[in-house]
Amino acid sequence: MTSNKRAIVTGGTRGIGRAIVKELAARSCCGVLFSDVAFIYNSCDECAEEIIQEISVSGTQIYAFKADVSNYEQTEDTVKAAIEKLGGVDILINNAGITRDNLLLRMSENDFDDVINANLKSVFNYTKAVIRPMIKQRYGRIINIASVVGLIGNAGQSNYVASKAGVIGFTKAMARELASRNITVNAVAPGFIQTDMTNKLTDEQKQAITQNIPMGRLGKPEDVAKVVGFLCSEEADYITGQIIVVDGGMTM
Ligand code: NAP
């Protein structure tokens, strides 16, 4: 049975977020879920325009909002505007994220703060902004994009790892707070996925990483987006507080 859902996706212009926007919009075809989507981006106006043009699934409305997800006041205004356009909100995907890698000895305070704010504070900002309407309607699906490094750690990424471990903890706390209101909160923890974020790696680094992935390849953004689509669907109605790893077997 088709149900009309409204989704907000942060970081929807590129990589995993872009694939999630497409996945949620495309689900209108298979009768499982029909999502109008508002996505947030930071800088790439052309990317935002491109994705709106690209996703021309009939009946699905796509809206783009330019805002810094780490800014609390901007978040309140952006979510309010998105809810006005969508007519409500059923799904929140906290996907936006950045890296500023360095060994701790060389890491600046700014690089630590920027990553924590973009990756973790943003999750607080957007979750806080959507839960009131979700509680009122007694329905909500919140999915946070974490990372396997938030579970196992990674040298040279103390800021990023701390932010993703924080997202995992936040996910579980919110799952407990909101379960009785029929709001599920889960995280997806990707391994290495081919996006602009990992394009910074050298071919040698990618080769070394691939050797540690039983499935023998880096992931595609769609590999993550499909799991997010499942967690938004009715099939996942009884799943909450879980961290679903999507890494080709790397951290099993
Ligand atoms: P990406 O290709 O670099 O895209 C990042 C997206 O986030 C862009 O749409 C960007 O918008 C947006 N964004 C970044 N900072 C923002 C801010 N302050 N305000 C608003 N939007 C902001 O990254 P990705 O690889 O798809 O990663 C997506 C998520 O998956 C991140 O949370 C990342 O940590 C996580 N992840 C990725 C991997 C991987 O291997 N790629 C692995 C594990 C987890 P603009 O286009 O406007 O800059």
Side-chain angles (χ1 to χ4, degrees):
M1 200 171 69
T2 305
S3 51
N4 189 17
K5 298 278 189 273
R6 293 100 14 128
I8 294 176
V9 181
T10 69
T13 36
R14 291 184 285 119
I16 294 170
R18 188 183 182 119
I20 291 170
V21 172
K22 283 195 206 174
E23 173 70 19
L24 294 183
R27 283 208 161 219
S28 60
C29 310
C30 61
V32 176
L33 186 74
F34 181 103
S35 291
D36 290 340
V37 183
F39 69 83
I40 322 301
Y41 69 104
N42 194 26
S43 55
C44 186
D45 297 323
E46 311 85 68
C47 307
E49 197 44 50
E50 212 177 271
I51 190 163
I52 291 171
Q53 299 297 329
E54 202 179 320
I55 304 171
S56 51
V57 181
S58 66
T60 302
Q61 302 296 321
I62 308 286
Y63 307 100
F65 293 91
K66 190 174 188 171
D68 178 359
V69 292
S70 63
N71 184 302
Y72 185 78
E73 284 77 28
Q74 268 186 42
T75 300
E76 282 191 322
D77 295 343
T78 306
V79 170
K80 206 170 151 209
I83 287 176
E84 230 168 75
K85 284 275 185 200
L86 293 168
V89 59
D90 305 294
I91 296 165
L92 168 67
I93 316 294
N94 282 308
N95 162 80
I98 58 168
T99 49
R100 298 276 185 277
D101 296 351
N102 223 330
L103 295 172
L104 187 61
L105 277 174
R106 294 191 207 123
M107 187 177 290
S108 69
E109 186 185 0
N110 273 350
D111 283 351
F112 188 83
D113 289 346
D114 286 352
V115 169
I116 295 291
N117 288 335
N119 296 7
L120 177 58
K121 178 146 184 267
S122 62
V123 177
F124 163 81
N125 290 344
Y126 273 77
T127 307
K128 192 164 162 68
V130 302
I131 55 169
R132 206 178 288 278
M134 284 183 178
I135 287 172
K136 220 170 157 188
Q137 71 197 9
R138 295 190 78 78
Y139 182 90
R141 297 288 173 261
I142 299 173
I143 292 135
N144 301 321
I145 306 302
S147 167
V148 289
V149 301
L151 294 165
I152 63 169
N154 199 20
Q157 287 198 307
S158 55
N159 50 0
Y160 184 78
V161 169
S163 74
K164 294 302 185 180
V167 167
I168 288 167
F170 186 86
T171 300
K172 293 179 182 177
M174 291 317 301
R176 287 188 186 275
E177 258 182 60
L178 298 170
S180 65
R181 314 300 180 104
N182 193 31
I183 299 168
T184 64
V185 188
N186 292 288
V188 175
F192 284 92
I193 309 298
Q194 277 177 314
T195 68
D196 292 345
M197 193 176 268
T198 46
N199 277 345
K200 295 171 196 161
L201 299 168
T202 64
D203 283 347
E204 277 154 21
Q205 283 172 318
K206 281 186 196 163
Q207 225 169 13
I209 289 163
T210 307
Q211 274 171 3
N212 285 320
I213 302 174
M215 292 198 74
R217 65 169 176 88
L218 299 192
K220 295 175 287 191
E222 294 73 24
D223 293 324
V224 180
K226 287 198 177 84
V227 177
V228 171
F230 164 71
L231 288 170
C232 292
S233 76
E234 286 168 13
E235 282 86 346
D237 276 354
Y238 197 53
I239 299 176
T240 196
Q242 300 306 305
I243 315 304
I244 315 285
V245 171
V246 181
D247 70 348
M250 187 174 70
T251 61
M252 73 169 105

